[in-house]
Amino acid sequence: MKIVDMHVRTFTYPSRIVRDTEGHTHPGPEHEATQSLLTVVTDDGATGYCFGAPNPAVLENVIKPAIIGEDPMYRERIWKTLHHWQRMSRDLTDRALAAVDMAIWDLVGQSLGQPVYKLLGATRDKVPAYASTMCGDEVPGGLSTPEEYGAFALQCKERGYPAFKLHTWMPPIAWAPDPTMDIAACAAVREAVGDDMDLMLDCYHFYSRADALHIGRALEELGYYWFEEPMDEFSTSSYIWLADQLDIPVVGPETADGKMYTRAEWLARGASDISRGGVSDVGGITPLMKVVHLCEAFNVQMEVHGGGPGNLHALCAMNYPGKYYERGLLHPHLDYEEVEPWLNSKTDPMDNAGNVHVSQAPGLGWDINWDYIDAHTVS
Ligand code: MG
């Protein structure tokens, strides 16, 4: 079996999610947005898919020359080749690597008739989810006050979520960030849901050490489960300093570059209590499993960043489990249960006990609505 082609389809869909000037998502007026689908094809006609395709120029000039002709069973070799190409091709991002790696895993799973998590070595078929909010806003009835966070957390608890994570206020909101408001929101959520729900905070990511310590101590008082990315993750020393002083688990690194190498450095230096990474952060399922096994060897909990089938299949193949699947981002004005128009069913269906079930279909289990994509393809 050899990879003979890779191509991208771009199509439109109606969206009610907008980005602010700093890139955070919020609910907004309906508009036309675009989505892309990467397809990998082999000489025997097998196909693999991933939504969120690499930039077409990078696909043509870097990815295709590196892997056309490769056997998709040689996933480690393909991933390593692309990783080495990144040194000279800086526009080949980890996100692009992740899309290619996931499409190849999907293809192999479909060829062998097995879901990806069983090829990785399954440990479970479902994972508890936490409700992960969008960032704070100034939308009335949204996430504009501590009380609104509290009301939304209670709504998520009633839906079945066993845990809730706040993303609080950040620029471009004029008065943000504000440690006092972050703490007030965390307190309002604890007050609303009571003591039997795991709560986490992922706040502004560029606080000073003093602000981060102040917020962390307040979270300890409120019985929070973890404290995520309050400072720039490129300062490993700042995280060693913070984790040394707090009892609440500090979680990271999430967005820092460097794949499993960065996670190894954080583990060796004790920069966090719980490690982190997702398929898009580290360059696919292949490197994410290296992080998982690294954490297992250090007896360090590993919490997977972000949702989607790549992360879900990895979570169902972890022997030293991450406790939660990150479901979201959620907002009181949006219905997350609504199926994306390019799919026939959600990739992360959740039962009323708050468990997300991994697809038993071969590959990653994309349930693609081809009629929709065919009718809305623009290129
Ligand atoms: Mg985060």
Side-chain angles (χ1 to χ4, degrees), residues 49-338:
Y49 302 101
C50 189
F51 288 93
N55 153 345
V58 172
L59 183 68
E60 287 303 319
N61 301 329
V62 183
I63 298 171
K64 282 169 83 167
I67 68 174
I68 294 288
E70 272 285 9
D71 180 340
M73 294 295 172
Y74 285 64
R75 290 178 302 283
E76 283 282 348
R77 185 167 76 194
I78 293 170
W79 186 82
K80 198 74 180 169
T81 300
L82 288 173
H83 166 32
H84 289 177
W85 268 76
Q86 284 185 299
R87 184 169 172 275
M88 296 300 279
S89 303
R90 305 296 287 181
D91 46 359
L92 177 57
T93 60
D94 283 346
R95 202 167 277 267
L97 241 65
V100 174
D101 184 70
M102 284 195 283
I104 293 174
W105 272 105
D106 184 46
L107 184 148
V108 168
Q110 292 193 64
S111 298
L112 298 175
Q114 291 292 331
V116 167
Y117 78 111
K118 290 187 175 171
L119 298 180
L120 293 168
T123 55
R124 52 183 166 174
D125 309 306
K126 60 184 180 186
V127 188
Y130 66 85
S132 188
T133 74
M134 288 183 166
C135 293
D137 53 41
E138 294 179 302
V139 178
L143 297 171
S144 70
T145 64
E147 294 67 34
E148 286 174 352
Y149 273 95
F152 189 46
L154 187 57
Q155 197 183 314
C156 290
K157 187 181 186 185
E158 285 162 358
R159 167 67 180 86
Y161 287 102
F164 182 86
K165 187 172 90 181
L166 302 86
H167 290 99
T168 42
W169 299 276
M170 306 184 198
I173 289 176
W175 52 266
D178 183 336
T180 303
M181 281 295 281
D182 285 354
I183 294 167
C186 289
V189 168
R190 175 57 81 202
E191 170 79 24
V193 301
D195 290 334
D196 59 340
M197 192 177 199
D198 278 343
L199 300 177
M200 299 83 102
L201 173 67
D202 187 358
C203 56
Y204 181 58
H205 313 299
F206 307 99
Y207 275 126
S208 67
R209 290 186 183 193
D211 282 343
L213 183 62
H214 172 64
I215 295 167
R217 287 197 170 135
L219 297 183
E220 288 174 347
E221 291 287 312
L222 293 166
Y224 267 54
Y225 181 56
W226 83 49
F227 184 25
E228 181 175 328
E229 205 183 344
M231 300 177 292
D232 193 309
E233 290 183 335
F234 282 106
S235 177
T236 312
S237 299
S238 296
Y239 277 89
I240 295 169
W241 180 91
L242 184 68
D244 274 351
Q245 296 182 78
L246 290 176
D247 291 327
I248 184 173
V250 173
V251 179
E254 176 177 288
T255 53
D257 293 340
K259 306 178 176 67
M260 62 281 187
Y261 304 107
T262 310
R263 277 77 193 163
E265 293 299 327
W266 276 51
L267 288 168
R269 299 180 67 192
S272 62
D273 305 286
I274 299 176
S275 193
R276 191 146 173 87
V279 286
S280 295
D281 305 308
V282 299
I285 294 170
T286 300
L288 184 59
M289 295 312 293
K290 297 179 197 295
V291 176
V292 166
H293 298 150
L294 181 64
C295 291
E296 182 178 357
F298 273 85
N299 292 314
V300 168
Q301 186 176 338
M302 155 78 192
E303 290 295 332
V304 170
H305 170 218
N311 287 322
L312 182 55
H313 281 266
L315 270 164
C316 290
M318 289 170 65
N319 202 34
Y320 198 77
K323 188 169 179 185
Y324 289 117
Y325 172 87
E326 181 168 13
R327 200 161 188 261
L329 299 173
L330 310 182
H331 189 279
H333 292 181
L334 296 168
D335 180 12
Y336 184 81
E337 307 301 334
E338 204 174 281

